Amino acid sequence: MINKFDSVLLAQKKFIYHYKNMRWAKGRHETYLCFVVKRRVGPNSLSFDFGHLRNRSGCHVELLFLRLLEAGALCPGLWGYGAPDSVGLCYSVTWFCSWSPCSDCSYRLAQFLSQTPNLRLRIYVSRLYFCDPEDSSAREGLRMLQRAGVQITVMNYEDYFYCWQTFVACRQRVFKAWDGLHQNSVQLARKLNDILQPGEAEDWRDAFELLGL
């Protein structure tokens, strides 16, 4: 069974504007979050919910999503009650975010996940939020999420194509990659790997220095 949480799909121009993985994303002050929630009870029962959210009234979109979870609007029975089949209930949640979470949202997410072992979260991001300084709190927040079991990945062409087909009012129009999508995705993926695996990145830099590269 598939249920659409938000009946209004994203406009094509809005999706491209907010999800374009440019290096300097000036003016993109909002964060959009497209989500898929998979609910499983036993081996033969699976349902889906999907939709999108954005920042509202000064509240970051990640925290808005948590409020929906806490209210039981998206994952009934997550806390072990509120649904007749809550025993053995598991949820898999996937986010496609225009920005990676800030440090505060990462901390709140990690706290929430520590209380909900029957929920798994995977986050795909279009761009990295305030991660240029090596000692930034946003970088540590992403590492905190990784330690909490969250899979964090930079979006590539296939992910944009999936979002276009699932969350955008595309009217059968095929998704067309913008200039630099692949190159920017590769660069951001390398940067994310440096953040999540800092020791490994330092080893590579040392090896390049020894080779004079």
Side-chain angles (χ1 to χ4, degrees), residues 18-162:
H18 285 284
Y19 277 86
K20 199 169 186 179
N21 61 348
M22 59 182 61
R23 181 174 175 80
W24 306 110
K26 294 182 179 179
R28 274 79 169 173
H29 302 301
E30 288 185 306
T31 299
Y32 275 75
L33 186 159
C34 296
F35 63 85
V36 176
V37 177
K38 295 181 181 180
R39 177 177 182 264
R40 182 178 293 279
V41 183
N44 301 314
S45 177
L46 181 67
S47 63
F48 296 84
D49 283 299
F50 62 97
H52 70 271
L53 299 168
R54 62 180 175 86
N55 294 3
R56 291 186 182 276
S57 303
C59 183
H60 286 193
V61 69
E62 298 91 342
L63 303 185
L64 287 176
F65 191 92
L66 290 188
R67 289 181 183 179
L68 292 174
L69 292 182
E70 292 168 346
L74 280 175
C75 298
L78 178 63
W79 305 96
Y81 54 84
D85 52 359
S86 58
V87 177
L89 184 62
C90 295
Y91 284 98
S92 175
V93 177
T94 303
W95 289 357
F96 299 90
C97 299
S98 57
W99 287 105
S100 61
C102 70
S103 57
D104 182 60
C105 287
S106 293
Y107 175 75
R108 298 279 294 275
L109 280 168
Q111 275 193 320
F112 184 88
L113 291 170
S114 70
Q115 301 168 15
T116 52
N118 53 335
L119 184 148
R120 298 181 64 183
L121 176 63
R122 180 164 192 173
I123 302 176
Y124 292 85
V125 301
S126 177
R127 299 181 299 270
L128 298 174
Y129 179 78
F130 279 103
C131 286
D132 283 339
E134 292 193 4
D135 60 347
S136 72
S137 58
R139 286 188 173 218
E140 181 53 37
L142 295 180
R143 288 191 284 265
M144 185 187 307
L145 285 178
Q146 185 185 52
R147 291 193 294 269
V150 179
Q151 289 182 281
I152 310 170
T153 308
V154 168
M155 292 175 66
N156 59 23
Y157 174 84
E158 287 75 17
D159 304 318
Y160 287 109
F161 181 87
Y162 173 81

Side-chain angles (χ1 to χ4, degrees), residues 131-201:
C131 286
D132 283 339
E134 292 193 4
D135 60 347
S136 72
S137 58
R139 286 188 173 218
E140 181 53 37
L142 295 180
R143 288 191 284 265
M144 185 187 307
L145 285 178
Q146 185 185 52
R147 291 193 294 269
V150 179
Q151 289 182 281
I152 310 170
T153 308
V154 168
M155 292 175 66
N156 59 23
Y157 174 84
E158 287 75 17
D159 304 318
Y160 287 109
F161 181 87
Y162 173 81
C163 287
W164 183 264
Q165 296 294 324
T166 307
F167 307 107
V168 178
C170 58
R171 299 189 183 93
Q172 306 303 314
R173 181 183 174 188
V174 177
F175 174 70
K176 182 179 179 181
W178 49 81
D179 290 341
L181 185 155
H182 176 70
Q183 294 89 332
N184 293 342
S185 178
V186 170
Q187 290 177 359
L188 287 166
R190 289 174 178 169
K191 186 173 183 178
L192 179 60
N193 184 68
D194 288 350
I195 293 169
L196 299 179
Q197 309 291 341
E200 179 179 315

